Amino acid sequence: MDKLINQFEFGLFFWQVVIFVGLVLLLKKFAWKPILDAVNDREEGIKNALLSAENARQEMQNLQADNQRILNEARAERDAMLKEAREMKEQMIAESKSEAQAQGQKMIEQAKAAIESEKNAAMAELKSQVSTLSLSIAEKLLKEELSNKEAQTKLVEKLLGDVKLN
Amino acid sequence: MVISNKPLRFIIATLVACLPLMSFANSEVDSTKAVTEVAHEATTEGHHEGAHTEPTDEKSKIKAFIKHHVLDSHDFTFTQDDVTGKHYGFPLPVILWDNGLHIFSSSKFEHGKAVAESNGNYYVINHHDGKIYRTDVSGKITEDEKTGFPTNVRPIDFSITKTVISILAAALLMIWLFSSLAKSYTKNGGIASGAGRIFEPVVLYIRDEIAIPNIGVKHYKKYMSYLLTIFFFVLFLNIFGLTPLGINATGNLTITFSLAILTFLITNLTANKNYWSHIFWMPGVPKAMRIVLAPIELLGVFIKPFSLMIRLYANIFAGHIVLMSIISLMFIFKSWIGSSLSFGLSFVLSILEILVAFLQAYIFTMLSALYFGSAVEEHHHDEAHH
């Protein structure tokens, strides 16, 4: 221990403290402060650059997502429109079909009714025609028959005979 | 940071776990040294070229060399030639305060062999502790019989010693390196360039892994300058110590003491009310316990920087001694097997020392940050801390 204490040298201590403290102060002014500031600035710069790159990436992603969304929306809209159109078309076809059918049915009905009425009219005319014709024929026949006696009797007999049979 | 947390923490934990092994290695070396000492003393008889005061046999010469290396010195010697006694290096200025300023070159001491005269006073370097004492013309040093320390008057020594030169060099290197790094940011659009850019990840590591987790996002900024400076200062001086220049600054108690005392001062001067209340009147424990805890906590305030000081000093000091001992084993063995073995060992140990250099700088910074963090910790009772 004595040897250790004896090693202590005041002059050397003085120089060492003077040189070292001077060194700390000088280096602080001319080296450490500029170095640490520069390194800090650089680190900040790198951090900012990375951050802005990240932001740009995020923005890009957002944009892409937006685009995708818009595209999807447009696609969905188109699909919806197509579907609607298809449905409309089908509906129209169905509608017109049923309408046509109804129209046709109606026309058929009308035609049928017209035919029936025509037929009835024709039948009625035919009937009247036939009746007048047969009356005239009967008239003519009667005129002819009743012109001679014999024939009249014969007819009467015949008619009587028919009655008997009944 | 590219390096993820977990493996790094694991590596550091492993290194810490390995540290005790180093001390084992140390004692083993000592035992081998003891063995060689016996063998050596038997075989070598006086092949010595040095002066009479210098140790004669090779082993004690090496011992003296290592002892000399780990201490501070008044001249910068890279190497020396024992045969001619020539030293390769340069002298440093000696500045003494001894009833007046004495400034002269350390070449006057002629590497501790001569007595230097300045303004009528005589000074000599004691080769035991490498310190300057006042003496007379003959250069006599009287030693205390009990402790063995010299009793001569010691002038206050403000000399620019080898350690001062090395911390000055480290400081200038740091100023150049980091101010050029700072300038390169503005020139290069916020991106580092040049030599300093290797250290940018380290700066970021200290901020993100040491300062913010330990101090908190709110307060860490005001401690950053100190933490960064102390990390690189300790690291560079540790690495300097591993170069063949023979510098041992962070293995010098005065240096680690001054670093620790700065951490101590900053911790206690910036501490908030919560910190002091945890020391003197611990919340959440019975009153009787608070009285018992207060002195313990107060002691802790001083033990913390003390442990910082001793840890760094002991690690680097021991590392230098072990490394130099193993290197010098090469010259003691003087055989193919032994020398190459100790070469391999010193190589591996050097790599370990590089790791220790980083580790100790990290630990010093980490613990400083931890103490700062405890000083500015916010008041929260609910959590069961302590």
Side-chain angles (χ1 to χ4, degrees):
Chain A
M1 194 69 201
D2 271 353
K3 238 180 169 174
L4 278 186
I5 292 168
N6 197 43
Q7 271 201 25
F8 181 77
E9 180 67 53
F10 179 74
L12 182 58
F13 175 75
F14 167 77
W15 286 118
Q16 155 71 9
V17 169
V18 167
I19 292 171
F20 190 78
V21 171
L23 184 66
V24 171
L25 296 177
L26 272 177
L27 283 179
K28 184 179 186 176
K29 184 148 189 293
F30 293 110
W32 303 135
K33 217 173 125 50
I35 288 174
L36 289 174
D37 284 352
V39 167
N40 262 343
D41 284 354
R42 197 179 60 198
E43 276 171 359
E44 285 292 306
I46 291 170
K47 217 182 269 174
N48 286 344
L50 282 177
L51 205 70
S52 61
E54 178 64 23
N55 280 347
R57 206 179 61 85
Q58 201 74 39
E59 220 158 275
M60 190 86 162
Q61 220 163 29
N62 284 349
L63 258 162
Q64 257 175 358
D66 250 24
N67 281 352
Q68 195 63 37
R69 192 176 52 79
I70 289 168
L71 206 68
N72 282 346
E73 265 172 22
R75 205 170 279 154
E77 207 167 324
R78 188 200 64 185
D79 282 355
M81 274 163 82
L82 275 176
K83 203 174 154 200
E84 208 173 314
R86 205 177 293 130
E87 270 171 8
M88 209 183 267
K89 182 193 81 181
E90 266 160 23
Q91 201 185 342
M92 270 165 81
I93 289 170
E95 239 167 50
S96 52
K97 214 185 237 173
S98 63
E99 208 169 304
Q101 231 162 10
Q103 199 76 19
Q105 204 67 38
K106 211 170 150 192
M107 276 165 79
I108 288 168
E109 298 281 303
Q110 268 177 350
K112 265 187 187 165
I115 288 167
E116 194 68 25
S117 67
E118 288 293 312
K119 197 179 88 182
N120 284 345
M123 283 290 250
E125 207 175 292
L126 200 63
K127 264 181 197 166
S128 69
Q129 289 270 352
V130 167
S131 63
T132 42
L133 202 62
S134 54
L135 270 176
S136 66
I137 290 168
E139 211 179 56
K140 272 176 192 163
L141 263 172
L142 278 172
K143 262 180 201 168
E144 212 149 304
E145 282 296 307
L146 293 172
S147 55
N148 63 13
K149 203 97 172 234
E150 216 182 312
Q152 273 178 350
T153 13
K154 227 194 215 172
L155 181 66
V156 172
E157 275 175 11
K158 194 189 163 214
L159 286 170
L160 284 171
D162 278 349
V163 170
K164 262 182 206 167
L165 273 170
N166 279 337
Chain B
M1 282 292 295
V2 186
I3 310 165
S4 81
N5 252 339
K6 275 197 181 147
L8 199 72
R9 285 211 180 124
F10 175 73
I11 289 165
I12 286 166
T14 325
L15 283 175
V16 171
C18 284
L19 279 179
L21 295 178
M22 227 180 80
S23 58
F24 286 128
N26 191 3
S27 63
E28 262 174 67
V29 166
D30 281 348
S31 63
T32 29
K33 266 174 81 180
V35 171
T36 50
E37 183 179 13
V38 174
H40 209 74
E41 271 173 23
T43 52
T44 49
E45 303 269 344
H47 55 92
H48 52 86
E49 279 85 27
H52 283 285
T53 48
E54 306 238 322
T56 48
D57 70 307
E58 191 150 5
K59 199 200 148 277
S60 25
K61 235 155 79 184
I62 286 167
K63 218 171 174 180
F65 182 78
I66 293 173
K67 204 179 125 198
H68 178 72
H69 160 79
V70 292
L71 293 175
D72 202 359
S73 128
H74 284 86
D75 51 38
F76 210 120
T77 309
F78 298 115
T79 183
Q80 66 194 63
D81 192 337
D82 277 352
V83 182
T84 58
K86 199 166 152 55
H87 289 67
Y88 297 97
F90 50 88
L92 295 167
V94 175
I95 304 165
L96 301 175
W97 181 262
D98 188 15
N99 300 321
L101 206 57
H102 300 267
I103 300 173
F104 53 95
S105 164
S106 74
S107 58
K108 272 192 176 178
F109 288 118
E110 289 170 19
H111 305 286
K113 291 191 198 81
V115 179
E117 186 270 328
S118 169
N119 299 344
N121 282 345
Y122 295 92
Y123 300 100
V124 71
I125 293 180
N126 179 17
H127 72 262
H128 284 301
D129 54 9
K131 287 179 178 167
I132 294 175
Y133 291 90
R134 193 160 72 194
T135 179
D136 50 20
V137 185
S138 66
K140 210 178 99 192
I141 287 181
T142 52
E143 280 177 6
D144 192 306
E145 275 170 18
K146 264 197 291 188
T147 59
F149 291 128
T151 50
N152 291 40
V153 178
R154 276 197 60 201
I156 302 171
D157 187 356
F158 288 108
S159 301
I160 307 296
T161 59
K162 196 160 92 171
T163 308
V164 177
I165 286 288
S166 46
I167 58 177
L168 211 55
L172 290 176
L173 177 69
M174 280 172 74
I175 288 172
W176 172 72
L177 210 56
F178 292 110
S179 59
S180 74
L181 174 65
K183 271 186 215 123
S184 75
Y185 281 105
T186 45
K187 266 190 270 174
N188 205 21
I191 291 161
S193 64
R197 74 185 296 188
I198 326 163
F199 295 104
E200 192 202 279
V202 185
V203 171
L204 290 182
Y205 180 81
I206 290 167
R207 188 193 64 177
D208 296 336
E209 304 294 328
I210 295 179
I212 294 179
N214 286 312
I215 302 172
V217 187
K218 210 172 141 191
H219 298 289
Y220 84 94
K221 274 194 177 133
K222 63 179 168 185
Y223 298 111
M224 271 313 281
S225 298
Y226 180 73
L227 291 175
L228 285 167
T229 313
I230 207 158
F231 178 83
F232 286 109
F233 187 77
V234 172
L235 177 66
F236 284 179
L237 284 177
N238 285 351
I239 296 290
F240 278 7
L242 294 176
T243 60
L245 294 175
I247 294 166
N248 183 31
T250 37
N252 187 311
L253 199 71
T254 312
I255 304 292
T256 61
F257 171 76
S258 66
L259 294 178
I261 204 131
L262 284 173
T263 294
F264 170 79
L265 286 176
I266 293 173
T267 307
N268 290 291
L269 292 179
T270 60
N272 59 14
K273 223 176 82 187
N274 190 36
Y275 172 79
W276 294 115
S277 85
H278 271 78
I279 288 168
F280 293 114
W281 207 238
M282 179 77 78
V285 293
K287 284 227 164 66
M289 274 300 281
R290 290 181 187 190
I291 294 163
V292 178
L293 274 174
I296 298 173
E297 288 283 332
L298 192 64
L299 202 63
V301 171
F302 296 100
I303 286 175
K304 279 172 184 173
F306 185 75
S307 73
L308 268 185
M309 170 181 87
I310 291 294
R311 186 181 297 106
L312 180 60
Y313 163 71
N315 267 286
I316 304 303
F317 187 80
H320 276 242
I321 287 191
V322 170
L323 204 53
M324 289 190 84
S325 304
I326 290 174
I327 289 170
S328 52
L329 274 185
M330 273 187 255
F331 302 102
I332 289 174
F333 279 141
K334 282 183 175 158
S335 76
W336 279 108
I337 303 166
S339 295
S340 50
L341 210 69
S342 69
F343 174 77
L345 200 58
S346 62
F347 181 72
V348 172
L349 217 69
S350 299
I351 293 170
L352 189 70
E353 279 302 309
I354 294 172
L355 276 167
V356 170
F358 278 91
L359 190 68
Q360 286 307 319
Y362 169 77
I363 287 175
F364 202 106
T365 317
M366 176 79 186
L367 288 175
S368 294
L370 202 68
Y371 301 154
F372 297 157
S374 76
V376 294
E377 195 180 15
E378 295 294 325
H379 191 67
H380 45 82
H381 268 310
D382 321 323
E383 286 165 56
H385 55 104
H386 288 285

